[in-house]
């Protein structure tokens, strides 16, 4: 097999459905390669380098004014930047969705781990009401991890 500088991931077929919590996205390899391995919801990098991470994640909800964001954790530590915000505005009677996109560069070492978390805000409440119900569409997303150098 020849070396490819990129590899694809996606949320597992089950997707996630959550209320009031920050949740790890369950992942699976969409295409095999040598850049990383995936186990459950954790990506393990196979070589030192600068990696570009590009993702699109589709979120669905019946909640009005729901905002979601993605967070990246490297070796279990949140990097401090919320990415890819989405805003679902509906009348409360429909089932609306929105796609979030993000791109980031990370300098990673072999055996470093990456995890992606999703969280939600409604109005002034950050995961603090019983109405923050949303789900990740398992077919409306993709993650591309590319080794840049």
């Amino acid at each position: 097999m020849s070396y490819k500088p990129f590899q694809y991931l996606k949320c597992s077929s089950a997707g996630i459905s959550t209320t009031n919590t920050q949740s790890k996205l369950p992942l699976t390899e969409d295409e095999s390669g040598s850049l990383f391995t995936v186990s459950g919801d954790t990506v393990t990098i196979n070589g030192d380098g600068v990696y570009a991470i590009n993702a699109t994640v589709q979120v669905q909800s019946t909640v009005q004014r729901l905002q979601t964001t993605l967070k990246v954790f490297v070796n279990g530590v949140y990097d401090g930047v919320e990415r890819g915000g989405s805003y679902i505005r509906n009348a409360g009677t429909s089932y609306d969705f929105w796609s979030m996109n993000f791109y980031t560069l990370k300098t990673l070492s072999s055996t470093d781990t990456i995890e992606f978390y999703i969280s939600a805000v409604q109005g002034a409440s950050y995961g603090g009401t019983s109405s923050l119900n949303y789900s990740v569409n398992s077919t409306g997303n993709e993650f591309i991890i590319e080794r840049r150098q």
Side-chain angles (χ1 to χ4, degrees):
M1 176 196 262
S2 63
Y3 172 76
K4 289 191 325 188
F6 59 88
Q7 197 172 335
Y8 295 98
L9 283 167
K10 63 181 178 181
C11 283
S12 67
S13 59
I16 65 165
S17 182
T18 189
T19 302
N20 295 338
T21 59
Q22 171 177 278
S23 300
K24 252 191 251 187
L25 292 177
L27 301 169
T28 186
E29 288 183 62
D30 196 26
E31 176 181 76
S32 64
S34 61
L35 295 181
F36 58 81
T37 57
V38 181
S39 178
D41 48 22
T42 302
V43 175
T44 302
I45 297 298
N46 290 333
D48 298 350
V50 176
Y51 289 82
I53 303 169
N54 189 2
T56 300
V57 178
Q58 188 180 85
V59 179
Q60 296 178 319
S61 182
T62 57
V63 174
Q64 289 184 316
R65 298 179 180 91
L66 180 80
Q67 295 175 282
T68 55
T69 60
L70 289 170
K71 297 177 180 180
V72 177
F73 284 68
V74 176
N75 297 323
V77 178
Y78 172 45
D79 71 359
V81 180
E82 292 191 44
R83 296 175 174 83
S86 70
Y87 181 75
I88 297 173
R89 168 73 169 109
N90 62 41
T93 58
S94 61
Y95 193 68
D96 287 337
F97 67 91
W98 197 261
S99 293
M100 297 183 285
N101 300 295
F102 82 85
Y103 177 87
T104 189
L105 290 172
K106 295 282 180 197
T107 300
L108 300 169
S109 299
S110 183
T111 72
D112 279 353
T113 60
I114 304 171
E115 298 163 319
F116 301 95
Y117 284 77
I118 188 168
S119 58
V121 178
Q122 181 187 27
S125 175
Y126 190 80
T129 73
S130 61
S131 61
L132 295 182
N133 300 306
Y134 61 94
S135 61
V136 174
N137 183 344
S138 61
T139 60
N141 66 78
E142 75 174 351
F143 293 79
I144 302 169
I145 298 179
E146 175 186 9
R147 186 167 176 188
R148 301 299 293 264
Q149 39 175 314

